[in-house]
Amino acid sequence: MPKGEYWRNEALTEDLDLGTRILLVGWENSFLSTTAIYQHGVTTLSALYKQRTRWSWGALQCWLKYVPTFEVLKTRKLA
C-alpha cells in the first residue's frame, strides 16, 4: 500500500476498509490471543441504533467499493 494511505477518511468503518485493502495487496493478517482492546460500550438504545446503523452502512460502503469492480474476486491473494 502506498505510504500514508492506510486510513480512508471517507470510510464509515475504517477497520473493515483497511482490513480489506490489506488482504487485497497480499499482506497477511494474524490473530493474537494476547491483544486487548478497551472501549466504551453503548449505554442507550439510541446509541446502539446509531452504532449499528453506521456499521451497516460501512459494510455496504466497503462492499460497493470492492465487489462491483470484481477487485476482490480478481485477486488470488485471498485464496
Side-chain angles (χ1 to χ4, degrees):
M1 291 180 17
K3 186 175 181 175
E5 293 187 19
Y6 301 113
W7 297 107
R8 285 187 335 112
N9 291 333
E10 65 275 8
L12 291 172
T13 48
E14 305 88 3
D15 53 345
L16 176 61
D17 182 73
L18 178 62
T20 302
R21 289 186 296 118
I22 283 172
L23 292 173
L24 287 173
V25 297
W27 290 10
E28 290 188 22
N29 193 353
S30 298
F31 172 77
L32 297 174
S33 62
T34 57
T35 301
I37 298 173
Y38 300 96
Q39 64 183 23
H40 295 282
V42 294
T43 57
T44 66
L45 191 55
S46 172
L48 178 66
Y49 178 77
K50 284 176 70 174
Q51 178 192 60
R52 298 306 162 98
T53 300
R54 181 173 174 262
W55 287 356
S56 297
W57 280 110
L60 180 61
Q61 180 186 52
C62 195
W63 190 89
L64 289 172
K65 180 162 180 58
Y66 301 109
V67 175
T69 62
F70 297 105
E71 196 170 344
V72 172
L73 300 176
K74 284 189 253 179
T75 184
R76 295 189 181 268
K77 298 171 185 169
L78 297 179

